[in-house]
Amino acid sequence: MMHPQARSYNGGMARLFPFRALRYDPARVSMTDVVTQPYDKITPDMQDRYYAADPHNLIRVILGKQLPRDNDRENVYTRAAATLNEWRAEGILKEEAEPALYGYAQTYTVPGTDEVRERRGFIALGQLSDYADRVVYRHEQTFPKHKSDRLALFKATRAYCEQIYMLYSDPTFTAEKTIFESGAAPELEITDEYGVVHRLWKLTDAALIKKVLAAMEDKWLLIADGHHRYETSTTYMHERAAELGIDEKAAPAMDASGLPAPAFPEQAMMMTFVNMDAPGITILPTHRVAFGLIGFTGTEFAARAAEYFTVEQIHATPDGHLPGAPGLLQHLNETPGVAFIAATRDGDYLLTPIAEKIAPLLVGLSPRQRELDVTQLHKVVLEKLLGLSEETIRAGSHVRYLREATEALQQVGCGNADVAFLIKPVTLEQMKDVSLNLEVMPQKSTDFYPKLLSGLAMYTLD
């Protein structure tokens, strides 16, 4: 059910636009070799692999390599802008002839299972607005360092090369029916390094585009992935509106077909819109590992944790084998309610909270926040038991975030971490409830899978 605050914005609700995307010319490149995962999911090894895949891989724009000679005049941002301009001049990247929306489907196997799902959405421009306007809602904390990096890139390139992932609610499925029910073959199909199949359809019929835009006019939007880029883009929008002397909420311009366009280029950014009432959405847990803890031992931690939790040590099977990541996760997921596993070199422990004991540590939080596994892990375990302040956790100096439980356990086993905390995923309903009540979860509370590919379409401001 929609939260009553979600309709309090007096300027209307979501405003979307078709756009003339800048896209790779498939006659000049192999699309599989030039697209990437989102910038914040790219490890150094992945960066090297993307660099080697093709000289026109988008990595050179969204996450270029820093060089020892970098200075204020020549750096990763100026190289990104020069590279983008060079590819446009060479025709590697071409602007579409007419404005369009892009249907986007991803077919994937849910990690750790044999279940195959398909997630459908569409790519369009979305008008930017402050959270206070009650059009766009967030669910996670952000990091200033990441925002300053993206702002420098946006200003240098004057382009949005990656979409952010927006959720909306529409039980009638109007947009999906309009875009996908024609039965047309996709214009583009790519299988990424995780085996996810990405398909793209281009919608240019003005009447159908208007139907999709009209269906979205009364919607609120919830950021699934891309908080840093959204907040950075909103900051950029404010700056440019002031420089140009334009009302940042100005009404859109209209072309000869009656299709809207942003009043000024920075008023909007590229987004993929996914209906949260449709099947196919998967949220994975993001596990935590803590490292650099002076004098840490698993047995001492378990003893201290018993003040706030029922602590059950998970023993080896009768044949002497420890359960490993799949067995630990199965044990965790079969445990009702809030629970997490602490994996240490001294043993693995299942922690279930003792409500009356942890309650004093959650004072000041809303009931919906107190019920979240990730909140209890941060407030009771990381902050109280391990003595890590919220600022320390946000800075990442003692905590790392990992999707793969196996990797988390390996870091403990090889001594790169002191303890791994395996947790359950946040549910879509929990996230929506927190967001629409204007609250935020701890950072890295959700991991939407799969990620949106970068390089399928781009939005240029010039």
Side-chain angles (χ1 to χ4, degrees), residues 72-119:
D72 290 342
R73 295 184 305 278
E74 181 181 345
N75 50 58
V76 67
Y77 307 115
T78 60
R79 284 192 295 275
T83 297
L84 196 62
N85 290 336
E86 179 183 319
W87 292 350
R88 295 179 74 176
E90 293 176 354
I92 300 297
L93 297 173
K94 293 183 177 180
E95 191 173 77
E96 299 273 41
E98 54 189 330
L101 303 178
Y102 299 88
Y104 183 15
Q106 297 166 285
T107 304
Y108 64 97
T109 301
V110 178
T113 76
D114 296 324
E115 182 185 357
V116 176
R117 295 180 180 176
E118 182 173 73
R119 185 176 73 194

Side-chain angles (χ1 to χ4, degrees), residues 81-155:
T83 297
L84 196 62
N85 290 336
E86 179 183 319
W87 292 350
R88 295 179 74 176
E90 293 176 354
I92 300 297
L93 297 173
K94 293 183 177 180
E95 191 173 77
E96 299 273 41
E98 54 189 330
L101 303 178
Y102 299 88
Y104 183 15
Q106 297 166 285
T107 304
Y108 64 97
T109 301
V110 178
T113 76
D114 296 324
E115 182 185 357
V116 176
R117 295 180 180 176
E118 182 173 73
R119 185 176 73 194
R120 289 182 169 186
F122 66 95
I123 303 171
L125 301 186
Q127 183 165 324
L128 296 160
S129 63
D130 292 319
Y131 297 136
D133 291 334
R134 307 290 195 272
V135 179
V136 174
Y137 294 79
R138 60 176 179 158
H139 75 270
E140 283 187 346
Q141 299 279 9
T142 54
F143 301 89
K145 179 181 177 181
H146 296 325
K147 289 191 282 188
S148 62
D149 165 63
R150 291 299 97 179
L151 183 59
L153 181 66
F154 293 159
K155 287 183 173 181

Side-chain angles (χ1 to χ4, degrees), residues 37 59 97 107 144 169 212 217 385 395 422 458:
Q37 297 293 316
I59 192 68
T107 304
S169 177
V212 173
E217 284 179 350
L385 294 178
L422 308 186
M458 302 170 220

Side-chain angles (χ1 to χ4, degrees), residues 122 168 170 172-180 211-212 215-216:
F122 66 95
Y168 68 96
D170 180 13
T172 67
F173 304 102
T174 302
E176 293 97 314
K177 292 176 181 176
T178 304
I179 294 171
F180 293 102
K211 184 177 179 180
V212 173
M216 295 295 293

Side-chain angles (χ1 to χ4, degrees), residues 39 50 123 218 374 407:
Y39 84 98
Y50 288 142
I123 303 171
D218 65 343
V374 67
E407 183 180 358

Side-chain angles (χ1 to χ4, degrees), residues 17 50 59-60 72 81 96 101 119 131 153 176 182 199 209 248-249 268 344 371 380 412 417 433 439 442 445 448:
F17 311 97
Y50 288 142
I59 192 68
R60 290 169 172 80
D72 290 342
E96 299 273 41
L101 303 178
R119 185 176 73 194
Y131 297 136
L153 181 66
E176 293 97 314
S182 70
R199 298 182 178 89
I209 290 175
E248 59 194 35
K249 295 184 180 180
T344 77
E371 293 171 0
V380 184
V412 173
D433 191 29
E439 300 174 12
S445 292
F448 283 86

